[in-house]
Amino acid sequence: MTDLNKLTLKKAQKLVSEKQVKASEIQQACINQIKAVNGDLNMFLSHLEDPASGQEGALASLPIAVKDNVCTLDFPTTASSKLLEGYRPPYEATIMKKVKNAGGVVLGKTNLDAWAHGSSTETSAFGRTLNPRNSDFLPGGSSGGSAAAVASDTCVVAIGTETAGSIRQPSAWCGVVGLKPTYGRVSRYGIAAMASSTDSPGPIAKTVEDAAMLLDVMAGHDPFDATSNPDKPPSFVKSIDKKVSDLRVGVLYQDLEGLELVRPHIDKAAGIFESLGANVEYAEAMDPHYAISVYTIVQRAEVSSNLARYTGIRYGNDRSFFGDEAKRRIMLGTHALRKGYADKYYLTAQKVRAKFALDYDELFKKYDVLISASSPTFAEKIGASESSSMFGELADMLQEPSSICGLPGINVPVFRDPETNLFLGLNIVAPAWREDLVIQFGDAYEKATSWNSWRNND
Amino acid sequence: MSSLISKKLVDEIAHLANIPLSEAELQNIAQDFEETLGVINNLSEIDTKNIEPAHHTTGLENILREDIVENDRMLSQKDSLSQAKKTHDGYFVVPRILHND
């Protein structure tokens, strides 16, 4: 049998339910792996020392890594910031309740760019995380700790959050599956708010099926989050092993400058969908460079308002503990919302955001899903984020249009460079509330190719 | 380099946002602002006539709940105060905001 920490969620669940393996043995294997690699890679800020037992349920006491901007009762929650160092939330996020009620055990809390402001996990106040595929490189971010935890087999499955690329971009750079649900599909209650109009928690997993299984647990209405969808979500695992024949695929952004490295691999992926019987076409969409601007303004504006609560009075340290990036973002947002500037920046950005939504409406009349590269490049070298205050926005450019429109998307690994062991990812986007389609296409792609070596353990 | 963003402006914004900044930080942030504003200025190229701003894009409307007390989301006084650096007689202690002089 394979090492227990390398099991997929599906396989682990099966072995535990058949009593071939104990969940505590799987937890122990993950804890051992954390102890072996975390000193170098720094993906966990805190973790279990010994196996713990969970409630009865589908997740069967299996160990789940959770991004450290999600409030947990069993571990501190820092958002990787000095301001919240040592903070012990007196309540837990709704998704933590759901995971625990389903029998999951929180294995530990994973590193992120401080406050999730970034795309490298270099801006964490507690040191950068390194990419487990090649430790000279960054894992991406902001959910870099969770993506690296999955890639390094230190957990069975992980939870991340995405505002614009923060699940899918690190998943692409670490060669794992990352699913960003529709905005409002998964509750935001109890998660350190970043940009409230786009924040979306979601699963980071070894396979598409694992991501669907965890999304089934996380999704659903939460009366504590007024933007959460009151409709009962469908069963997402039902979208596994479904044919994509006769469905319509639009391929986006292939003619953009700077995508030379990824372009041939996305062309190949398009060819694979064609060979599976889908109707594939190259399509035109609004230039994502404008989405960078929309996102930058809207995100900074919402950050300036959300981070106003951190005064050091009720909890945490005072505002002098904010790091450079948070200070920059709060202040730019404050500027963009000021009297005399709000029309020029904020209102214009929200209007262009509406244009992106209209553009997607037109595209989805013609296509069931849209595919593109997840990131324009492979993982960048350590230190890359220090060169530009717009590093993250450029790294996330291909995710930002769908993020500002609240759409669901998934990253699946699409290529591994044999020399560097680094990955490229495919981004599949569907209309709002159609996570089933991104799962269906992600799963079909994964099973038609050999990039995902975890499927051998499945 | 043209300086659209003066240190004075950054200082003003820092005051509004209640962010304490050192002299060096003021300088750096003024430069970063220039870089960011240089990137985002492209929005003026897009025709937004007759476009309503989008504050929400997934189509949900008027999510209301019953106006009742929900005990399960309430914290006890002890829990509420548990993370505060300074408390007094069951209260949070805040910096003085009214001055006599």
Side-chain angles (χ1 to χ4, degrees):
Chain A
M1 185 180 297
T2 177
D3 298 331
L4 294 178
N5 55 310
K6 293 184 179 166
L7 294 174
T8 60
L9 176 59
K10 182 189 173 193
K11 180 81 172 185
Q13 197 187 47
K14 181 167 179 280
L15 291 177
V16 171
S17 73
E18 288 169 357
K19 299 206 185 323
Q20 295 192 46
V21 173
K22 286 191 190 128
S24 60
E25 293 169 334
I26 297 173
Q27 287 186 35
Q28 190 61 55
C30 290
I31 294 168
N32 294 347
Q33 176 73 351
I34 291 173
K35 287 183 174 162
V37 301
N38 200 46
D40 292 329
L41 301 176
N42 193 37
M43 66 278 263
F44 282 90
L45 297 177
S46 53
H47 61 83
L48 287 180
E49 290 296 327
D50 297 297
S53 48
Q55 302 175 25
E56 261 181 58
L59 294 175
S61 290
L62 293 170
I64 297 170
V66 178
K67 190 175 178 181
D68 202 31
N69 59 350
V70 179
C71 285
T72 45
L73 293 173
D74 313 324
F75 295 93
T77 298
T78 67
S80 288
S81 72
K82 288 277 181 202
L83 193 143
L84 287 183
E85 192 168 16
Y87 172 56
R88 303 291 306 223
Y91 72 111
E92 64 186 349
T94 297
I95 56 169
M96 286 295 92
K97 278 210 171 102
K98 284 177 181 265
V99 161
K100 283 169 145 181
N101 287 341
V105 165
V106 180
L107 171 69
K109 302 294 291 293
T110 58
N111 204 6
L112 60 146
D113 285 289
W115 305 104
H117 298 168
S119 308
S120 62
T121 316
E122 277 199 298
T123 66
S124 165
F126 306 115
R128 57 166 73 99
T129 297
L130 304 180
N131 192 321
R133 305 291 192 177
N134 182 332
S135 58
D136 291 335
F137 291 83
L138 297 170
S142 66
S143 308
S146 285
V150 172
S152 61
D153 285 310
T154 47
C155 64
V156 169
V157 70
I159 287 175
T161 63
E162 172 161 331
T163 303
S166 275
I167 286 175
R168 289 173 286 170
Q169 181 259 10
S171 297
W173 284 13
C174 290
V176 301
V177 174
L179 198 169
K180 177 226 174 270
T182 311
Y183 174 76
R185 178 66 89 190
V186 176
S187 164
R188 296 179 292 112
Y189 181 76
I191 296 170
M194 203 250 257
S196 304
S197 75
T198 56
D199 287 344
S200 308
I204 297 180
K206 295 174 184 175
T207 64
V208 175
E209 184 162 6
D210 281 6
M213 287 168 71
L214 187 54
L215 182 60
D216 273 335
V217 172
M218 296 171 72
H221 183 233
D222 177 13
F224 294 177
D225 174 358
T227 57
S228 108
N229 188 344
D231 295 342
K232 191 175 181 318
S235 160
F236 294 112
V237 284
K238 286 200 174 141
S239 299
I240 298 295
D241 287 327
K242 274 172 84 171
K243 289 204 170 67
V244 297
S245 46
D246 299 326
L247 292 173
R248 302 159 303 167
V249 179
V251 188
L252 297 188
Y253 310 140
Q254 285 290 74
D255 52 355
L256 282 183
E257 248 179 76
L259 266 65
E260 290 72 21
L261 273 174
V262 294
R263 193 175 293 140
H265 303 289
I266 302 308
D267 283 337
K268 252 189 217 164
I272 284 168
F273 284 126
E274 206 153 45
S275 71
L276 294 172
N279 300 315
V280 182
E281 262 178 32
Y282 287 80
E284 287 275 323
M286 252 175 96
D287 185 339
H289 286 93
Y290 296 111
I292 294 182
S293 307
V294 171
Y295 175 71
T296 300
I297 295 169
V298 171
Q299 192 265 357
R300 271 56 166 182
E302 293 184 16
V303 159
S304 78
S305 140
N306 273 326
L307 272 60
R309 78 190 58 171
Y310 299 107
T311 57
I313 291 171
R314 291 172 299 155
Y315 54 90
N317 296 308
D318 68 56
R319 293 173 79 76
S320 68
F321 283 75
F322 277 126
D324 290 346
E325 186 64 23
K327 285 180 185 170
R328 267 200 292 268
R329 292 193 184 208
I330 291 168
M331 290 178 52
L332 196 80
T334 304
H335 182 54
L337 290 173
R338 281 176 85 183
K339 191 159 183 260
Y341 295 90
D343 278 1
K344 180 179 175 197
Y345 293 118
Y346 187 69
L347 201 64
T348 307
Q350 297 288 42
K351 285 182 177 174
V352 177
R353 186 182 194 179
K355 282 207 108 165
F356 271 98
L358 293 170
D359 190 43
Y360 275 115
D361 285 349
E362 288 306 310
L363 284 164
F364 285 126
K365 283 180 190 161
K366 288 192 264 181
Y367 307 106
D368 296 294
V369 296
L370 299 167
I371 66 169
S372 71
S374 288
S375 164
T377 60
F378 286 96
E380 300 265 5
K381 274 240 156 105
I382 290 169
S385 74
E386 289 152 16
S387 61
S388 163
S389 59
M390 290 297 282
F391 169 84
E393 307 327 331
L394 297 167
D396 291 337
M397 176 173 77
L398 303 177
Q399 317 281 0
E400 288 181 343
S402 56
S403 293
I404 59 174
C405 295
L407 305 178
I410 198 168
N411 173 75
V412 287
V414 78
F415 177 69
R416 186 181 74 90
D417 183 336
E419 265 173 48
T420 59
N421 197 36
L422 293 173
F423 282 75
L424 292 172
L426 172 74
N427 181 29
I428 306 168
V429 170
W433 316 116
R434 296 304 306 272
E435 292 86 352
D436 62 312
L437 281 172
V438 306
I439 291 165
Q440 183 176 346
F441 274 83
D443 176 63
Y445 177 82
E446 191 180 69
K447 287 175 177 159
T449 60
S450 56
W451 301 116
N452 194 332
S453 54
W454 280 296
R455 286 196 39 249
N456 304 330
N457 311 341
D458 217 17
Chain B
M1 181 170 151
S2 73
S3 201
L4 292 167
I5 303 296
S6 65
K7 279 204 295 181
K8 183 170 167 284
L9 178 68
V10 174
D11 197 37
E12 240 174 73
I13 299 168
H15 177 72
L16 285 174
N18 187 17
I19 298 285
L21 287 183
S22 68
E23 183 61 28
E25 283 178 315
L26 259 179
Q27 184 67 45
N28 286 341
I29 287 184
Q31 271 172 23
D32 292 339
F33 262 43
E34 294 248 7
E35 188 194 347
T36 303
L37 294 178
V39 173
I40 64 180
N41 272 335
N42 66 359
L43 288 186
S44 55
E45 296 162 15
I46 302 263
D47 178 10
T48 53
K49 242 187 296 161
N50 304 323
I51 297 280
E52 286 290 313
H55 297 288
H56 185 71
T57 53
T58 51
L60 298 180
E61 276 179 35
N62 295 341
I63 305 288
L64 303 173
R65 68 168 176 85
E66 275 200 65
D67 190 11
I68 47 166
V69 175
E70 289 172 349
N71 287 314
D72 52 344
R73 73 190 299 188
M74 256 197 299
L75 298 178
S76 68
Q77 187 181 38
K78 182 168 160 273
D79 283 346
S80 305
L81 295 169
S82 68
Q83 298 298 308
K85 294 254 181 307
K86 272 191 193 165
T87 61
H88 180 73
D89 284 348
Y91 289 94
F92 295 111
V93 176
V94 303
R96 173 182 288 271
I97 51 168
L98 298 172
H99 299 274
N100 293 327
D101 50 23

